[in-house]
Amino acid sequence: MSVTLSRVEPSVASVGDYVALLKPRVMSLVVFTALVGLVVAPGHLHPVIAFTALLCIAVGAGAAGALNMWYDADIDGQMARTASRPIPRGRITPGEAAGFGITLAAFSVAALGLLVNWVAASLLAFTIFFYVVIYTAWLKRSTPQNIVIGGAAGALPPMIGWAAATGSLAVEPIILFLIIFIWTPPHFWALSLYRTGDYARAGIPMLPVVAGATETRRQILLYTLILAPLGVAPWFLGYTSALYGVVALAGGAAMIALALRVRAEREGHKASKQLFGFSILYLFLLFAMLLVDRLLGALIGHLPA
Amino acid sequence: MNNSADPEQPETSLKLTEEQLRARRTRSIAIALALGAFVVLVFVVTLVRLRSGVLTRPM
């Protein structure tokens, strides 16, 4: 007992290190897509309840990030992109990260259930479970389909937002789910094309590592060809105005053009980097336009006749 | 564990450095603020819920 105790080094972890465990950049995307799901849902939600829902979703996403960093500390240390995370840098011990993550996960799900509703809380719990257990612990190290299936976790926040507002689900949030779900593979595969060495070193079976760059470029194009029409679907199905439709059409066309350039690329990774960067802008634009569309609609609805 | 009963030994052998003490203090303040914010949140949501007519339901 005393031997073990004497080896324990008191923590010098700062608040900032714990914030880094929450993956703030991923969290901001989660909050944004959940906000869109919440705003486009029918009915009126009290602003305090809406804020509470978003806060719980943000903390839940952060908890999933912390648990991911706890489980992946060994491979994070081997990849340039993740080597500066708090656990590989020795700022926080894996046990501390696990305790932090589990506590926040339990608090966020319980608070969302008690203060908002249990449909949203169940979806949040499922999202955390899916990201940590199904994606991080199981799929990530065992199959090149890791991010395809694991992408479901990142695609769920708009559904949680919708469920927070309505207490139920419908076709519209499922389309938002599908957009992010189909967007995830080309987005991450574009990144993995120019980080292949990193993933290979860490032993992660990303598609370019297992099936090669050519097959990855082909798959990126295939998913992008499904993604572009899916992005237009909310307008096609009559959920949005033509304003959204025009942006989705233009963005989808640009995504396909970039995916074609990635497909044709033989030397260097210029097109892959462009596709990776633009894919973030594309998803942001789609969801931002859904938000603008809804707010404009509400504004016009309030104008005197 | 028997060390604490020995009068020859100091009660704690662990001396925190300035940096460790400072880090612990800022972490403690952050936890206190987070818990305080959580209490306020539960209180405000309770007010909103009560005002929206939870108490006027038929018993």
Side-chain angles (χ1 to χ4, degrees):
Chain A
M1 190 79 180
S2 59
V3 173
T4 318
L5 279 176
S6 68
R7 274 209 235 122
V8 173
E9 190 60 32
S11 173
V12 287
S14 67
V15 175
D17 291 322
Y18 277 94
V19 171
L21 273 187
L22 303 175
K23 298 195 178 181
R25 279 170 60 192
V26 175
M27 194 197 259
S28 62
L29 201 63
V30 166
V31 169
F32 177 61
T33 55
L35 169 74
V36 173
L38 202 145
V39 170
V40 299
H44 173 75
L45 192 64
H46 192 285
V48 170
I49 307 292
F51 169 80
T52 306
L54 288 176
L55 185 69
C56 291
I57 295 168
V59 174
L67 290 169
N68 165 273
M69 287 200 204
W70 156 69
Y71 193 87
D72 274 352
D74 56 337
I75 49 177
D76 279 351
Q78 297 174 41
M79 297 199 290
R81 188 171 68 90
T82 51
S84 62
R85 286 178 174 176
I87 304 176
R89 264 200 308 142
R91 300 284 295 179
I92 293 177
T93 65
E96 285 165 349
F100 184 58
I102 289 168
T103 306
L104 290 187
F107 258 81
S108 60
V109 171
L112 188 59
L114 292 168
L115 303 177
V116 183
N117 69 59
W118 285 103
V119 177
S122 308
L123 276 170
L124 181 64
F126 178 72
T127 305
I128 298 170
F129 165 80
F130 199 89
Y131 184 66
V132 176
V133 178
I134 306 292
Y135 169 68
T136 304
W138 178 24
L139 298 172
K140 184 171 178 181
R141 301 177 195 221
S142 61
T143 165
Q145 295 299 309
N146 48 13
I147 52 146
V148 179
I149 305 164
L156 278 163
M159 285 177 64
I160 308 175
W162 180 288
T166 63
S168 63
L169 287 173
V171 176
E172 204 176 341
I174 293 173
I175 291 173
L176 300 187
F177 167 88
L178 284 175
I179 290 174
I180 304 179
F181 184 68
I182 298 296
W183 167 89
T184 308
H187 167 76
F188 273 110
W189 283 335
L191 170 81
S192 69
L193 273 176
Y194 57 92
R195 300 272 191 192
T196 310
D198 254 9
Y199 285 114
R201 217 172 10 262
I204 304 173
M206 288 298 277
L207 196 59
V209 178
V210 176
T214 309
E215 175 62 16
T216 306
R217 294 170 198 280
R218 197 178 72 86
Q219 297 267 351
I220 286 176
L221 181 60
L222 287 178
Y223 274 89
T224 308
L225 288 173
I226 304 171
L227 174 64
L230 205 56
V232 188
W235 171 54
F236 193 71
L237 294 172
Y239 294 132
T240 69
S241 71
L243 185 68
Y244 170 89
V246 170
V247 173
L249 272 174
M255 281 291 289
I256 292 176
L258 283 170
L260 282 169
R261 284 181 56 192
V262 170
R263 177 94 170 93
E265 195 167 57
R266 289 289 168 266
E267 293 277 312
H269 298 294
K270 198 175 163 211
S272 313
K273 286 179 182 172
Q274 280 176 342
L275 178 63
F276 177 74
F278 183 76
S279 64
I280 298 170
L281 179 67
Y282 170 69
L283 191 71
F284 173 76
L285 276 178
L286 287 188
F287 278 79
M289 287 317 294
L290 285 171
L291 207 58
V292 168
D293 212 88
R294 180 73 186 184
L295 295 177
L296 278 180
L299 203 66
I300 292 165
H302 278 90
L303 287 179
Chain B
M1 291 306 269
N2 293 331
N3 288 356
S4 58
D6 186 350
E8 296 287 303
Q9 292 283 329
E11 227 166 66
T12 54
S13 56
L14 199 64
K15 273 263 181 272
L16 295 184
T17 64
E18 268 303 307
E19 191 195 7
Q20 288 162 346
L21 281 169
R22 212 172 27 245
R24 187 173 69 180
R25 185 168 167 73
T26 53
R27 289 198 305 269
S28 301
I29 291 171
I31 293 170
L33 288 175
L35 286 175
F38 183 65
V39 170
V40 171
L41 183 73
V42 171
F43 179 66
V44 173
V45 171
T46 306
L47 288 185
V48 169
R49 291 253 184 227
L50 291 181
R51 207 171 286 174
S52 66
V54 175
L55 289 182
T56 58
R57 285 187 302 193
M59 297 302 280

